[in-house]
Amino acid sequence: MKLADNKATLSFSNGAPSVEMPVYQGSIGPDVIDIRKLYAQTGMFTYDPGFLSTAACQSAITYIDGDKGELLYRGYPIEQLAKNCNFLETCYLLLYGELPNEKQKAEFEDTVTKHTMVNEQMQFFLRGFRRDAHPMAVLTGLVGGMSAFYHDSTDINNPEHRNIAAIRLIAKMPTLVAMAYKYGMGQPYMYPKNDLSYAGNFMRMMFGNPCEEYKVNPVVERALDRIFILHADHEQNASTSTVRLCGSSGTNPFAAISAGVACLWGPAHGGANEACLNMLESIQANGGIEKVGEFMEQVKDKTSGVKLMGFGHRVYKNYDPRAKLMQETCNEILAELGLENDPLFALAKKLEKIALEDDYFVQRKLYPNVDFYSGIVQRAIGIPVNLFTGIFALARTVGWIAQLNEQMADPEYKIGRPRQLFTGSVSRDVKPIAQR
């Protein structure tokens, strides 16, 4: 961290002495006020629900400028990475800080490919779940359970162990997601195939069967790879912060990533694209495209309780750069699969048109976000709605492990211990039961 020339001064209206606090500068983005000694100096904490104004760590991985609509992985714009790199190149970048050269790319892809199989006992682990269990419930258990199978890479304080765990998690996550899907469908599991790409292999494990050879559609393969790239990391969001907080206790990497999977399941986070598709299906069931205008009017009425899912973003106050790329991919997929006239997709396009033209949505910058388009793409590919968040978890695993590795290598890292503003009862005595 670079110390700024100026300092921040905190003054009090009750006559208490003011406090000076250091200010640090990042390479880009807002400066931060160092409040680590605030409690020792004043006996007070800061109050920041949701941590909206608090930097809990220093990081060199991902940077977001919500006002500009900018997303950088290690300094590279997401638009350039999505168009010029594949997902495993992006994984290498997030893990090691630089894009790989040809030799590094080949070696990394080979290493990941050769670790895609999971222990056979994972199949028996799956049998403990109901067939109709939500895939995210299954995935949370499977990822956490990996620590029981890979004892040689569970020391989070060992850099070599962390790297081994990173490769295993990136390689095996598609296999676990596909297994969770196949289990729910009652279909036989498909083993990985080493001559396919990362995305192509996942497609085969999802949609292939042992009775015939599966042919990978290159347009769909590229679309899925792009979804993975766009979701690979997103700075200090809820699930990433969960992984960091969980890992700060010294727990093993598989347990920390499992915590991230559980957090991602929430509809306000990774479940947003599932919520978006559920919204579209609800509109379709209640009149379809003819009722879109009426639905949007209800959205404008704050008393109606109707929410527009898949539009706007807490961070981006401009167009989400991932959404622009996903919009292109969405149109490519619908054209490739001949689904331009599918009722649900036509409905989605109508929603998009109104949101981009209606002053109410434009003024509030409620643009379609990445969840809106990625949900449509995944449905077109054939991925069931309840597995959308599982796809998200698959892609985000590399971001989680990169952030976790960065934290554990930081000499300033400490176990997370948020404070509170206590508003409960003061100390009181317990009365005998007859007097209560």
Side-chain angles (χ1 to χ4, degrees), residues 132-433:
D132 62 353
H134 194 289
M136 285 300 283
V138 176
L139 196 58
T140 303
L142 290 178
V143 175
M146 286 177 72
S147 56
F149 292 93
Y150 302 104
H151 304 286
D152 61 342
S153 58
T154 55
D155 182 357
I156 203 168
N157 294 305
N158 185 322
E160 185 179 352
H161 281 209
R162 293 200 301 268
N163 190 58
I164 294 170
I167 297 298
R168 283 175 169 162
L169 280 159
I170 293 166
K172 299 178 192 304
M173 189 63 82
T175 310
L176 296 179
V177 173
M179 287 176 71
Y181 169 69
K182 289 292 194 184
Y183 179 75
M185 296 291 288
Q187 296 178 0
Y189 307 121
M190 295 291 288
Y191 287 111
K193 206 163 183 287
N194 288 354
D195 61 349
L196 294 175
S197 71
Y198 190 86
N201 195 22
F202 177 64
M203 289 168 59
R204 179 181 172 276
M205 289 191 291
M206 281 282 293
F207 305 120
N209 66 74
C211 303
E212 57 191 30
E213 188 64 28
Y214 180 82
K215 293 183 179 179
V216 176
N217 182 320
V219 177
V220 177
E221 179 183 27
R222 179 56 184 155
L224 200 54
D225 193 77
R226 181 170 286 184
I227 286 175
F228 294 161
I229 292 172
L230 298 182
H231 289 85
D233 197 50
H234 208 238
E235 212 201 76
Q236 306 308 315
N237 52 79
S239 58
T240 297
S241 298
T242 297
V243 170
R244 279 182 172 263
L245 189 61
C246 186
S248 75
S249 72
T251 191
N252 71 78
F254 303 106
I257 300 305
S258 179
V261 174
C263 181
L264 191 71
W265 191 358
H269 192 9
N273 50 15
E274 182 177 344
C276 178
L277 256 293
N278 288 336
M279 174 194 73
L280 292 176
E281 289 175 348
S282 175
I283 297 172
Q284 182 65 21
N286 288 283
I289 198 165
E290 290 79 12
K291 296 292 184 179
V292 169
E294 182 180 319
F295 174 81
M296 295 298 259
E297 288 303 316
Q298 290 178 320
V299 170
K300 296 179 188 179
D301 181 3
K302 293 182 179 180
T303 64
S304 70
V306 175
K307 292 184 178 181
L308 180 63
M309 307 303 295
F311 289 77
H313 196 280
R314 179 170 163 180
V315 173
Y316 295 106
K317 304 308 176 189
N318 204 320
Y319 211 108
D320 181 343
R322 302 171 302 167
K324 293 179 181 178
L325 293 160
M326 209 67 250
Q327 181 190 46
E328 295 173 12
T329 302
C330 182
N331 292 330
E332 290 170 6
I333 283 293
L334 296 183
E336 171 67 17
L337 301 179
L339 294 171
E340 302 98 322
N341 297 319
D342 179 280
L344 206 65
F345 299 134
L347 193 158
K349 298 296 283 185
K350 181 70 173 179
L351 275 178
E352 175 192 42
K353 186 174 188 297
I354 292 174
L356 292 176
E357 295 177 356
D358 190 301
D359 285 343
Y360 177 90
F361 300 101
V362 173
Q363 289 174 7
R364 289 165 175 77
K365 298 183 179 180
L366 294 176
Y367 303 112
N369 60 35
V370 68
D371 298 312
F372 180 75
Y373 295 112
S374 68
I376 295 171
V377 170
Q378 289 180 70
R379 183 180 185 273
I381 291 172
I383 296 169
V385 174
N386 68 353
L387 197 65
F388 285 1
T389 317
I391 305 298
F392 195 159
L394 187 168
R396 183 57 58 84
T397 294
V398 64
W400 288 332
I401 199 73
Q403 295 272 351
L404 182 63
N405 288 354
E406 180 183 63
Q407 172 184 271
M408 302 312 295
D410 186 345
E412 293 191 336
Y413 120 82
K414 293 179 174 62
I415 183 172
R417 182 59 172 88
R419 300 296 190 170
Q420 66 176 16
L421 175 63
F422 183 70
T423 57
S425 297
V426 296
S427 179
R428 50 185 173 169
D429 296 325
V430 177
K431 295 180 180 178
I433 192 167

Side-chain angles (χ1 to χ4, degrees), residues 85-136:
C85 300
N86 66 23
F87 178 63
L88 287 183
E89 285 178 272
T90 305
C91 288
Y92 188 98
L93 170 68
L94 291 172
L95 286 174
Y96 306 120
E98 297 292 343
L99 284 169
N101 57 34
E102 289 186 9
K103 181 182 177 183
Q104 291 167 331
K105 178 176 181 286
E107 290 177 350
F108 184 73
E109 289 182 346
D110 182 65
T111 302
V112 170
T113 300
K114 289 180 177 176
H115 283 82
T116 51
M117 292 188 71
V118 298
N119 192 293
E120 283 291 286
Q121 286 182 261
M122 279 290 194
Q123 296 188 26
F124 302 107
F125 189 12
L126 265 168
R127 293 179 189 177
F129 293 98
R130 289 170 55 107
R131 290 279 180 181
D132 62 353
H134 194 289
M136 285 300 283

Side-chain angles (χ1 to χ4, degrees), residues 8-41:
T9 302
L10 177 64
S11 58
F12 303 90
S13 59
N14 63 358
S18 59
V19 177
E20 278 196 346
M21 293 169 289
V23 175
Y24 288 97
Q25 297 174 328
S27 50
I28 48 177
D31 295 347
V32 298
I33 300 170
D34 186 349
I35 61 169
R36 283 176 289 184
K37 296 181 180 179
L38 182 66
Y39 179 63
Q41 292 175 314

